[in-house]
Amino acid sequence: MDRSPTQITLRRPDDWHLHLRDGAMLAAVLPHSAHFARAIVMPNLVPPVVTAAQAAAYRDRILAALPAGQSFTPLMTLYLTEETDPDDVVQAHTDGIATAVKLYPAGATTNSASGVRDFDKVRIVLERMADIGMPLCVHGEVTDPDIDIFDREAVFIDRVLKPIRKWVPDLRIVMEHVTTQDAVDYVRDTHKNLAATITTHHLIINRNHILAGGIRPHYYCLPVAKRETHRIALVQAAVSGDKRFFLGTDSAPHTDANKLLPCGCAGCFSAPNTLSCLAEVFEAAGKLKELEAFVSLNGPRFYGLEPNEDKITLTKGDAVSYPGHIDTDVGPVTVFDPGFALHWRVDA
Ligand code: NCD
Ligand code: ZN
């Protein structure tokens, strides 16, 4: 007899790494994160969200774009630059304007030109953050052109993350969108002040999906998906229940026009079908019961917040339909295609 459940109820989830953009794109994508109660909102706008005042203004624009009836709390991040003022960061955290600071190594990804080159220049900011318990979210890739793109995360651990953790051991760090066995092992071996987010798409695709049998720009994101052994390590970490791993979708919308260029943008837009995708992944691993820890419990625990009180229910049935793309005033945005049918529907 098949005993696999056809319905599961979870605390309402949160997304611990989300790109909402601004203006017309913000208005179009925000409703697609409606199942999430809160999200850590990335600050890589153009220009980036660097100061407390900019974060407060961006938060207001997000709240103004919320459709009637959607309850959603944006948790703002400040984009760390070599000029970041430590007092402003501390004030932003104390005033409840910013939840975390985001470190992009300069040039690592979309809109990261203002990121950090010389880590000595941000040391005081990091020390002040450690003092007040404000987490640092890191895009964990080196940008040295001599380092192969598939090795950039593993090299970042040795060259950047380990030194930062040595200088400022009390700093709470989230290694974001991990893509390698190396990162999973490093987080597992670290018992204090370190956690990792994992995206939906990195649990589903490996580099063959991007490159074998034709190039598929909609699967291109950063960090780039690695070989299958790494994807399997990510799935094992996600379904393990280990409190150090939690969901950050890294849903990163770009118009199709910007994805399909000779030099196209990095990012997968997975907000519309993320929870259905995740239920399939956890079910296939025989670990549906761990889904709640990954999407609803481990994240708030690391951030020192309560899990959400309200609940959502996922029901398994006929294939769920979702749009292949969404329309925005700046052009269509393709929705992440997991490559298999989705059967788990999120009940409103
Ligand atoms: C993100 C974006 O488009 O802003 N792209 C991506 O591929 N993940 C930036 C990022 O998080 O690296
Ligand atoms: Zn991102």
Side-chain angles (χ1 to χ4, degrees), residues 17 19 42 44 102 104 139 177 222 250 252:
H17 180 133
H19 298 268
M42 287 296 121
N44 62 332
K102 175 70 191 244
Y104 288 102
H139 182 109
H177 42 48
L222 289 170
D250 195 13

Coordinates of all heavy atoms in Angstrom, one line a residue, residues 17 19 42 44 102 104 139 177 222 250 252, ligand 2:
H17 N 16.4 34.6 0.7 CA 17.2 35.3 -0.4 C 16.3 35.5 -1.6 O 16.0 34.6 -2.3 CB 18.4 34.4 -0.7 CG 19.3 35.0 -1.8 ND1 20.7 35.1 -1.7 CD2 19.1 35.6 -3.0 CE1 21.2 35.7 -2.7 NE2 20.2 36.0 -3.5
H19 N 15.2 38.4 -4.9 CA 15.4 39.6 -5.6 C 14.0 40.1 -6.1 O 13.3 39.4 -6.8 CB 16.3 39.4 -6.9 CG 17.7 38.9 -6.6 ND1 18.7 39.8 -6.4 CD2 18.2 37.7 -6.3 CE1 19.8 39.1 -6.1 NE2 19.5 37.9 -6.0
M42 N 17.2 41.3 -1.5 CA 18.6 41.6 -1.9 C 18.7 43.1 -2.3 O 17.7 43.6 -2.9 CB 19.0 40.7 -3.1 CG 19.3 39.3 -2.6 SD 20.7 39.3 -1.5 CE 20.0 38.6 -0.1
N44 N 20.8 44.5 -4.5 CA 21.6 44.8 -5.7 C 20.8 45.5 -6.8 O 20.7 45.1 -8.0 CB 22.3 43.6 -6.3 CG 21.3 42.5 -6.7 OD1 20.2 42.4 -6.2 ND2 21.7 41.7 -7.7
K102 N 24.8 42.6 3.1 CA 25.1 41.7 2.0 C 26.5 42.0 1.4 O 26.8 43.1 1.1 CB 24.0 41.8 0.9 CG 24.3 41.0 -0.4 CD 24.2 39.5 -0.2 CE 24.7 38.7 -1.3 NZ 23.7 38.0 -2.0
Y104 N 28.9 41.3 -1.5 CA 29.2 40.8 -2.9 C 30.7 41.1 -3.2 O 31.1 42.3 -3.1 CB 28.4 41.6 -4.0 CG 27.0 41.3 -4.0 CD1 26.1 42.2 -3.5 CD2 26.5 40.2 -4.7 CE1 24.7 42.0 -3.5 CE2 25.1 40.0 -4.8 CZ 24.2 40.9 -4.2 OH 22.9 40.7 -4.3
H139 N 27.8 36.4 -0.8 CA 27.8 35.8 -2.2 C 29.2 35.1 -2.2 O 30.2 35.8 -2.4 CB 27.6 36.8 -3.3 CG 27.6 36.2 -4.6 ND1 26.4 36.0 -5.4 CD2 28.6 35.5 -5.3 CE1 26.7 35.4 -6.5 NE2 28.0 35.1 -6.5
H177 N 23.1 30.7 -1.3 CA 23.0 29.9 -2.5 C 24.2 29.0 -2.8 O 24.8 29.1 -3.8 CB 22.6 30.7 -3.8 CG 23.4 32.0 -3.9 ND1 24.8 32.1 -3.8 CD2 23.0 33.3 -4.2 CE1 25.2 33.3 -4.0 NE2 24.1 34.1 -4.3
L222 N 24.0 32.6 -11.1 CA 25.2 32.6 -10.4 C 24.9 32.4 -8.9 O 24.0 32.9 -8.4 CB 26.0 33.9 -10.6 CG 26.6 34.0 -12.0 CD1 27.1 35.5 -12.2 CD2 27.7 33.0 -12.2
D250 N 16.6 32.7 -4.2 CA 17.4 33.5 -5.1 C 16.6 33.7 -6.4 O 17.2 33.7 -7.5 CB 18.8 32.8 -5.4 CG 19.7 33.8 -6.1 OD1 19.4 35.0 -6.2 OD2 20.7 33.3 -6.6
A252 N 15.4 35.4 -9.2 CA 16.1 36.6 -9.7 C 15.6 36.9 -11.1 O 16.1 36.5 -12.1 CB 17.6 36.4 -9.7
Ligands
ZN2 ZN 20.7 36.4 -5.5

